[in-house]
Amino acid sequence: MNPTLVRLRGVERRFGSVVALAGAELELRAGEVHGVLGANGAGKSTLFNVLGGLLRPDGGTIEVDGRPVVLTSPRDAWAHGIGLVHQHFTLVPTLTVSENLALGLRGALEPGLSVQRAVRELIERTGLDVPLQPRVEELGVGDRQRIEILKALLRDPRILVLDEPTAVLTPDEIERLFDLLRELAGEGRAVTLVAHKLDDVLAVADRVTVLRAGRTVLTAASGEADQSELVRAMVGDGVVDTIALGLGPPPSGAPPSAPHAERWVVRLRGVDVEDERGWRLHKVDLDVAGGEVVGVAGVEGNGQRELARVLAGRLEATRGTVELPEQIGFIPQNRSTEGLIGEFDLVENVALALYRKPEFHSGPWLRWDGMKRVAEEIRSRYEVAAPSVATLGGALSGGNQQRVIVGRELEMSADLLVAENPTRGLDVSAAAFVHDELRRLASEGVAIVLLSTDLDEVLALSGRIFAIAAGTLRPVSSRARDRAGIGALMLRGERRTAVDSALERGVDDG
Amino acid sequence: MSRNVRTCLLSSLVALVGCGGSSASDDGSLRAALLTSGPVSDAGWYAGAYDGLLLIQDSLGATISHQQTATPAEFDEAFLAYASSGYDLIFAHGFEYQDAAVRAGSQFPDVTIVVSGGGRIADNVVPLIFRLEEGSYLAGMAAAAMSETGMVGMVGGVAIPPAQGTFRAFEAGARSIDPDIRVLETFTGDWNDVAAAKEATVAQLSRGADVIIHNVDAASFGVFQAVREAAADGRTVWAVGMNSDQNDVAPDVIIGSAVIRIPQAFLETARRWETGEVGGAPIYASIREGVIDFVFNPRLMDRVPSGIVERIAAARSDIRSGALTVPRVRFVEDEVGAP
Amino acid sequence: MADVQAQSVRSVGALESILTGAVAVALTLLTGAVLLLLGGFDPIAAGGAMIGGAFGGWNTFVSITLVRSIPLILTGLAVALAFRAGVWNIGAEGQLYAGAIAAVWVGIRGGALPAPLLVPAVLMSAGVAGALWALVPTLMHLRLGVGEVITTILMNFVGIYLAAYMVHGPLQEARGVFPQTGPIAEAARLPMLLPGSRLHWGFGVALLLAAALAVVVRRTRFGFELRAVGASPEAAAVSGRIDTSRVLLVSFLGSGAIAGLAGGVEISGLTHALYEDLSPGWGYTAIAVALLAGLNPAGVVVTGVLFGALQAGAGAMQRDAGIPAAWVGVVEALVILAVLAIDRIRRRAGALRAAGARGDE
């Protein structure tokens, strides 16, 4: 058996009255890829941060090479050879890729080895192909993820821990990443993958550890555990949302029928969106009819943010015609910064979408009693776990925030609902709730546009599917309607820079 | 009635923590207060006033109090507070108090307010006018005698008539020694801006002036600093102090100071108030009363050209006797020649 | 930066503001007492003089403390309105001077107006001038993206020096001797609110304005938009479809108008003439007043009176206990420090509660 590099025993960590870890066990061995699984809220991120020295456990022990250690800072973790790849990017957008890679490297490289040379060698060895000259802000999300991994590898860690690395990658990129992880393990490192998608973990991990409610509930070689056993371990007796766990489309999720041409509610023709960095959207044509779910798949940073905002009437197109219905519901991706106001209570957060409706004001005066009733209704009908409608938006969990937002946007009786990564970061039952609501709405005749980086979600819910890459929208034919086909379309035109788009525009205009 | 009840209630609360003041000193002795709009640590205009207040305390056994005000909105409040706590004589040390003083004076007829450099008069509100120009005239004589370049400079703060008056007199004094002398004049617009005063002084020195007089408050340090630096560069340059005896501030370059002996003026005013002589007319303080003078820096007497000390002494006695009239800018209302 | 700023200011209920204020003042007094002892003064006598000077009798309270609180309340409301919308208007001082200049101009030259209209004309011109003074930073912010903190501070200097120029030049008193304006017309002066005291109607104006702002912020569509933009411009625009530029424009100009009104009220109610040093920095103290009040209009009245009492008491400490004037500054600085500390503690407690309820991993 391979030697054990890291062992966590009975690790506990509380935040105020909330217990995030309540006896987590983890054993990482040299030469193996280890998957840490768990639903959202299971304690994965806390465990990750404990390993990286970002959080100190309240109880339990951490052993590295069989000796107990205290990790009080990321520096400590590095000193023991533990390297982290964060889910949230830690790069400085205004610095170039080389500069970002060089940051904090002083003393970490072998003497005499320049950063440039180390980076080039590493790129050659790993095949993680990234440009070094552009500023990070000019690059797409996929590139940024690769840079994060490079940054961690530059210090030659013995133990590499990655937090949800697949969230922003295309299927092809995920394949390549997994190859790399296996290779790194083959060199004798312990590679750890923290993820909530079963498929991802099973595809690459030699062993898996399942966390639930802060406890390690299962550790097994990935060959030994079957899927249903793992799912049960992850969710306990909770609701199972097969899409959110990456288990493929649900059996009942047959795509809705073709759109009714007489019920078009959205019409985009030749829509461009341009900002100081170049094109965000380019010559987009899109029609959406009542009762259909149109899926838009794409790697983040390819224009779906702008497309969502144009469709939701929040952003004006630079060029082209846009026809939208009067009432539009919008579920923005960033619940806590764009969907809700943390310091507003539920009534005020509901009011945010509704206060303009005639029944909720008379002249300049708001009618809070009416909006309070609606908020009470949303709280009970959508089972928002909040003691009262006076609860602050910031005090809700992500899932409950999303329940409030969905409830509020449905309350508008909109003809169109635009949903942007509506289940990202939600736990299983909350994700299931959102999916059910989207299906129900479509069946009631509402036009729905679902923009998501989660291919499984798009495949499961949508009728027609489009792929967006570099601001261009391309329909996905029924032939290409699978992960590989869409992935291929998503990849086209990635890594665009301002220079590229300016060049392209010059060619077009001339 | 109801107001009295409220007052009593509030007062009794206050009494717990010891509200002193208002009802004390019914023994008939003088209660004198001072208002300044600058710090009494300025070694000049305000410090002199505070010393005067202390002198009144020591010489006349008066109860004294001082408040530094920050804004015109506080002027009325300070007069009200002093008048209603039984103060008889309030020195408001600056023209800026005059409007509030007249308002307070009509509201509290038993209180006498003396406004230094003020321009408005009422029965119980009188300006205290320092004839600093007399000292400044003598300073001008000394400056002209010291100058080798035939050019002297004046650095002022705010261009108000009393300040302009000192400069006119300085100029006249200088011409009485050297009719062809050239005189530069700069007002920085701020009594206390050290940097601005220094800059103005440097400019005048570089134009060829070699004796600089000032009429500012705390900013005088900037004037002296500039002169000192020029002296350190090898030039023969001098400064003249103003308002108080500043000869010790920069003993190597200050040839002498035109002084106001503010403490004496305050004490004299308080004495005259006790005998009922204060009211309805401005109080003038001049060379004749010994309040204004020019004093040479004893450490630099060997640098002073022979004969000038005697000429200045003669001019001083001519001013005292009325034989010599120093030009001045009139600004007290109803005064002959005032605008 | 907008994010951080928006989150750093939390609006809280009036009661909590008052409690925060009380603790801040207690801490301040304690620190002050220790400093006084170290300086060789008698803290009991000083404290007695201070309380006596602020609350020692009905007339003292009304004629000194409340009169002092008027410009603090008004500028505090101006700052609170802007901060509520996430606009960092540090320029209340300059806007106040602009208002004072306009007020004194109308008050002196507006003799042609019928007497009953003169006071409203003076106050309105002050408000308009304050709003105009805020217009430059507003437009630079909205059109050019220049941060309003720096532009409003710079406009303060322009306002202060413009006032200095006015009293030496175009508006100098008729004899041209002293750097001040002549008095405004009798009909341009605010009447007394309580006969026999120095408390003028400016206090009434401040109270009415505070009440109006409280209602606007709580009850109206615009107030809701203002709070939403201040709390999270992104969410306001994305989820509320609120035109954030319009909200910023209106609240910035409104804030400037209120600060200008503070200058007008000071001229019309108290000094009746413009002087160079009209304001001892009310526009800056206003920031502490507004923050201590949790940006709550009703709270601003309380903290404004509190600061007024502090300043009145500081004057009495000089007069009755012989404590040097530098103490005014020390005490004010101490209060501001205490406010910051307590605000931080309270916010951390709030964040912990929220995190606990949310169940963060």
Side-chain angles (χ1 to χ4, degrees):
Chain A
M1 198 176 78
N2 295 326
T4 296
L5 296 186
V6 175
R7 191 192 295 277
L8 270 56
R9 290 183 211 267
V11 169
E12 294 172 11
R13 170 75 202 204
R14 279 175 299 276
F15 295 95
S17 59
V18 176
V19 180
L21 289 178
E25 312 274 337
L26 184 65
E27 186 191 1
L28 305 178
R29 296 178 191 157
E32 107 184 347
V33 179
H34 192 106
V36 177
L37 275 167
N40 274 87
K44 299 190 303 288
S45 297
T46 309
L47 190 69
F48 175 83
N49 286 329
V50 165
L51 268 174
L54 294 159
L55 286 175
R56 284 187 72 170
D58 299 322
T61 56
I62 304 172
E63 287 172 18
V64 178
D65 300 325
R67 278 188 299 276
V69 296
V70 179
L71 305 176
T72 58
S73 70
R75 193 184 292 265
D76 285 352
W78 275 116
H80 288 101
I82 301 174
L84 298 192
V85 178
H86 291 266
Q87 178 181 9
H88 309 289
F89 294 129
T90 59
L91 304 172
V92 183
T94 51
L95 296 183
T96 67
V97 175
S98 310
E99 286 163 345
N100 265 289
L101 290 173
L103 271 183
L105 256 191
R106 196 156 44 112
L109 293 179
E110 287 170 41
L113 187 62
S114 80
V115 175
Q116 297 296 335
R117 228 182 83 214
V119 169
R120 272 198 305 275
E121 282 177 14
L122 189 62
I123 289 177
E124 216 164 283
R125 196 160 57 82
T126 59
L128 285 170
D129 185 20
V130 294
L132 295 176
Q133 292 320 310
R135 287 199 300 273
V136 163
E137 63 187 356
E138 297 169 13
L139 297 178
V141 190
D143 277 333
R144 296 192 195 192
Q145 177 80 61
R146 280 189 284 275
I147 298 165
E148 289 281 355
I149 296 173
L150 274 181
K151 199 176 153 189
L153 289 179
L154 266 177
R155 295 178 178 229
D156 199 21
R158 293 186 303 138
I159 301 129
L160 183 67
V161 192
L162 303 96
D163 191 13
E164 301 277 4
T166 60
V168 296
L169 300 182
T170 63
D172 254 15
E173 289 174 322
I174 293 174
E175 262 318 303
R176 290 216 302 271
L177 173 68
F178 287 175
D179 289 343
L180 174 65
L181 296 185
R182 282 188 208 100
E183 206 177 298
L184 291 168
E187 294 169 4
R189 298 172 216 270
V191 177
T192 311
L193 185 67
V194 177
H196 73 280
K197 280 207 165 185
L198 206 48
D199 274 358
D200 285 354
V201 172
L202 289 178
V204 67
D206 302 307
R207 288 194 312 135
V208 292
T209 291
V210 179
L211 286 180
R212 190 175 74 232
R215 246 176 261 279
T216 297
V217 292
L218 180 89
T219 300
S222 56
E224 292 168 7
D226 75 356
Q227 277 204 1
S228 58
E229 194 182 337
L230 289 173
V231 171
R232 264 201 313 282
M234 282 170 74
V235 301
D237 298 328
V239 185
V240 179
D241 182 87
T242 46
I243 302 172
L245 291 174
L247 296 175
S252 63
S257 52
H260 305 285
E262 70 275 13
R263 291 172 53 209
W264 296 117
V265 294
V266 172
R267 212 179 153 80
L268 304 188
R269 283 291 176 276
V271 167
D272 285 359
V273 170
E274 215 178 320
D275 62 20
E276 63 272 13
R277 285 162 53 202
W279 277 320
R280 305 283 109 198
L281 286 181
H282 186 46
K283 290 187 178 161
V284 167
D285 297 337
L286 181 65
D287 295 318
V288 187
E292 70 165 333
V293 179
V294 168
V296 177
V299 177
E300 215 163 291
N302 274 277
Q304 58 267 71
R305 186 181 165 79
E306 288 74 15
L307 178 59
R309 277 156 187 71
V310 167
L311 284 169
R314 266 72 168 178
L315 177 67
E316 232 166 285
T318 317
R319 269 179 294 277
T321 47
V322 177
E323 289 172 32
L324 296 172
E326 192 76 4
Q327 297 288 339
I328 307 170
F330 184 33
I331 304 175
Q333 171 180 321
N334 301 317
R335 279 182 289 280
S336 53
T337 59
E338 293 180 323
L340 292 182
I341 293 179
E343 59 199 76
F344 273 18
D345 66 21
L346 296 192
V347 180
E348 291 168 318
N349 271 307
V350 166
L352 201 52
L354 301 182
Y355 78 101
R356 273 201 191 78
K357 297 189 82 174
E359 61 262 42
F360 295 126
H361 62 83
S362 48
W365 306 102
L366 288 174
R367 305 171 83 154
W368 284 110
D369 47 345
M371 291 191 283
K372 186 172 180 208
R373 267 199 305 279
V374 174
E376 301 270 16
E377 246 175 69
I378 289 174
R379 186 175 75 94
S380 62
R381 190 189 309 155
Y382 298 100
E383 297 170 349
V384 179
S388 79
V389 289
T391 308
L392 296 186
L396 298 178
S397 71
N400 283 308
Q401 289 182 336
Q402 199 70 319
R403 283 169 195 267
V404 173
I405 293 170
V406 170
R408 169 183 91 186
E409 301 298 320
L410 299 191
E411 195 62 39
M412 295 179 64
S413 34
D415 302 309
L416 167 67
L417 179 69
V418 180
E420 186 187 15
N421 286 318
T423 59
R424 174 176 291 182
L426 293 192
D427 64 37
V428 209
S429 65
F433 160 79
V434 172
H435 289 155
D436 288 347
E437 284 300 323
L438 293 182
R439 284 200 197 90
R440 186 178 65 76
L441 270 188
S443 73
E444 288 172 5
V446 176
I448 294 179
V449 180
L450 168 69
L451 303 99
S452 179
T453 52
D454 184 341
L455 276 187
D456 299 324
E457 184 174 66
V458 172
L459 281 167
L461 292 176
S462 312
R464 292 185 294 144
I465 297 178
F466 293 81
I468 190 165
T472 305
L473 197 63
R474 294 187 181 85
V476 175
S477 66
S478 48
R479 264 186 306 111
R481 208 185 147 96
D482 54 27
R483 287 176 70 104
I486 298 176
L489 284 173
M490 278 160 60
L491 267 182
R492 282 170 58 179
E494 212 218 332
R495 192 183 302 158
R496 265 165 85 85
T497 62
V499 179
D500 293 335
S501 38
L503 278 176
E504 196 177 321
R505 198 170 77 203
V507 172
D508 251 35
D509 291 348
Chain B
M1 166 65 193
S2 66
R3 182 182 298 171
N4 286 338
V5 172
R6 270 176 302 200
T7 308
C8 292
L9 278 174
L10 280 164
S11 303
S12 58
L13 280 176
V14 166
L16 286 173
V17 285
C19 165
S22 61
S23 62
S25 175
D26 288 330
D27 55 3
S29 73
L30 171 65
R31 289 170 70 79
L34 169 69
L35 295 177
T36 63
S37 39
V40 296
S41 55
D42 71 338
W45 175 250
Y46 300 123
Y50 192 65
D51 289 342
L53 191 67
L54 295 176
L55 192 60
I56 291 171
Q57 180 185 35
D58 293 345
S59 308
L60 305 179
T63 307
I64 61 162
S65 175
H66 163 244
Q67 180 177 359
Q68 181 184 332
T69 57
T71 163
E74 288 172 43
F75 298 168
D76 294 272
E77 171 194 313
F79 285 124
L80 166 77
Y82 278 133
S84 54
S85 355
Y87 282 85
D88 315 293
L89 181 59
I90 303 173
F91 288 93
H93 198 51
F95 76 89
E96 60 270 23
Y97 291 100
Q98 58 188 340
D99 292 344
V102 170
R103 279 197 292 271
S106 68
Q107 200 184 343
F108 300 100
D110 297 339
V111 176
T112 302
I113 302 173
V114 177
V115 183
S116 302
R120 299 183 62 181
I121 304 173
D123 278 344
N124 56 342
V125 179
V126 297
L128 172 58
I129 310 296
F130 297 105
R131 289 202 161 146
L132 182 56
E133 58 269 13
E134 294 176 351
S136 183
Y137 182 91
L138 303 183
M141 294 173 70
M146 294 299 292
S147 176
E148 291 166 8
T149 60
M151 192 190 293
V152 295
M154 309 180 292
V155 174
V158 183
I160 57 170
Q164 288 163 328
T166 59
F167 284 178
R168 293 291 76 73
F170 178 80
E171 211 173 329
R175 288 200 202 292
S176 75
I177 299 295
D178 174 5
D180 299 325
I181 198 154
R182 295 180 58 200
V183 184
L184 306 178
E185 177 182 289
T186 311
F187 283 97
T188 65
D190 193 321
W191 302 110
N192 301 307
D193 189 335
V194 175
K198 182 173 177 184
E199 202 174 298
T201 308
V202 167
Q204 292 190 351
L205 289 171
S206 68
R207 286 176 62 187
D210 60 355
V211 185
I212 310 289
I213 193 169
H214 76 82
N215 190 347
V216 290
D217 292 331
S220 63
F221 298 115
V223 174
F224 301 145
Q225 185 68 25
V227 172
R228 264 189 162 157
E229 284 171 13
D233 284 348
R235 289 185 59 186
T236 306
V237 288
W238 307 104
V240 180
M242 180 78 97
N243 288 329
S244 62
D245 184 344
Q246 297 184 306
N247 294 343
D248 290 340
V249 178
D252 45 340
V253 293
I254 297 181
I255 194 69
S257 297
V259 299
I260 310 178
R261 299 196 175 103
I262 299 173
Q264 282 87 328
F266 272 32
L267 179 62
E268 187 57 30
T269 303
R271 284 210 170 104
R272 287 173 60 183
W273 177 84
E274 287 197 315
T275 56
E277 291 171 55
V278 174
I283 302 168
Y284 291 101
S286 59
I287 281 187
R288 189 177 308 173
E289 291 82 18
V291 171
I292 304 295
D293 205 349
F294 175 79
V295 288
F296 273 108
N297 181 355
R299 268 161 293 203
L300 295 176
M301 285 315 289
D302 55 330
R303 306 295 298 269
V304 176
S306 60
I308 189 66
V309 176
E310 292 72 22
R311 288 188 67 174
I312 286 177
R316 182 185 292 122
S317 59
D318 284 352
I319 294 171
R320 193 176 287 146
S321 69
L324 173 61
T325 307
V326 171
R328 52 188 290 253
V329 174
R330 290 159 204 274
F331 54 87
V332 178
E333 64 184 0
D334 304 331
E335 190 183 14
V336 179
Chain C
M1 183 152 148
D3 273 4
V4 181
Q5 289 176 340
Q7 288 171 7
S8 70
V9 177
R10 233 162 238 253
S11 52
V12 291
L15 181 68
E16 200 177 341
S17 320
I18 293 166
L19 286 177
T20 308
V23 179
V25 168
L27 273 182
T28 303
L29 293 181
L30 192 71
T31 317
V34 172
L35 282 181
L36 275 176
L37 273 177
L38 291 175
F41 300 105
D42 176 1
I44 303 292
M50 177 156 207
I51 294 171
F55 305 105
W58 179 246
N59 198 43
T60 301
F61 180 65
V62 168
S63 292
I64 297 185
T65 297
L66 289 190
V67 170
R68 285 225 188 210
S69 71
I70 294 167
L72 292 169
I73 294 174
L74 285 171
T75 50
L77 290 174
V79 169
L81 178 69
F83 281 21
R84 255 298 169 78
V87 172
W88 296 83
N89 179 14
I90 317 294
E93 184 80 357
Q95 292 145 15
L96 179 145
Y97 271 104
I101 293 168
V104 88
W105 191 84
V106 172
I108 291 173
R109 312 266 161 105
L113 281 170
L117 292 184
L118 197 47
V119 167
V122 163
L123 297 187
M124 267 165 58
S125 66
V128 169
L132 283 177
W133 214 249
L135 186 63
V136 176
T138 308
L139 291 182
M140 287 181 78
H141 179 54
L142 291 178
R143 298 265 175 258
L144 306 173
V146 181
E148 71 275 20
V149 170
I150 196 79
T151 49
T152 49
I153 289 177
L154 290 175
M155 287 296 284
N156 284 344
F157 293 111
V158 182
I160 290 165
Y161 286 117
L162 182 66
Y165 166 71
M166 285 294 170
V167 299
H168 284 285
L171 290 178
Q172 192 174 18
E173 46 102 18
R175 293 197 301 141
V177 173
F178 296 107
Q180 65 175 78
T181 67
I184 57 173
E186 289 284 347
R189 299 177 188 180
L190 277 169
M192 286 301 147
L193 186 59
L194 291 180
S197 76
R198 291 176 62 236
L199 189 65
H200 54 82
W201 252 99
F203 191 70
V205 170
L207 289 187
L208 291 175
L209 195 62
L213 281 177
V215 169
V216 165
V217 166
R218 272 288 134 204
R219 298 267 152 219
T220 66
R221 292 171 65 181
F222 179 76
F224 180 68
E225 291 169 356
L226 177 99
R227 290 194 293 128
V229 171
S232 167
E234 296 84 7
V238 171
S239 288
R241 302 182 78 168
I242 294 168
D243 181 349
T244 52
S245 295
R246 188 183 67 94
V247 172
L248 292 182
L249 179 80
V250 174
S251 47
F252 209 153
L253 296 190
S255 172
I258 297 171
L261 181 67
V265 162
E266 208 56 21
I267 295 287
S268 175
L270 198 60
T271 65
H272 302 157
L274 178 62
Y275 302 82
E276 264 180 281
D277 298 320
L278 180 73
S279 163
W282 287 314
Y284 300 111
T285 311
I287 296 169
V289 169
L291 289 178
L292 182 60
L295 306 186
N296 192 310
V300 165
V301 173
V302 175
T303 53
V305 171
L306 205 69
F307 270 76
L310 197 67
Q311 296 185 351
M317 272 203 303
Q318 287 191 54
R319 287 192 302 266
D320 298 339
I323 312 287
W327 248 80
V328 181
V330 174
V331 169
E332 246 179 32
L334 280 173
V335 167
I336 292 167
L337 285 177
V339 170
L340 287 177
I342 287 164
D343 192 53
R344 180 49 60 100
I345 291 165
R346 197 188 61 203
R347 203 175 324 137
R348 192 178 297 163
L352 268 181
R353 273 201 305 278
R358 190 166 54 234
D360 280 3
E361 284 187 41

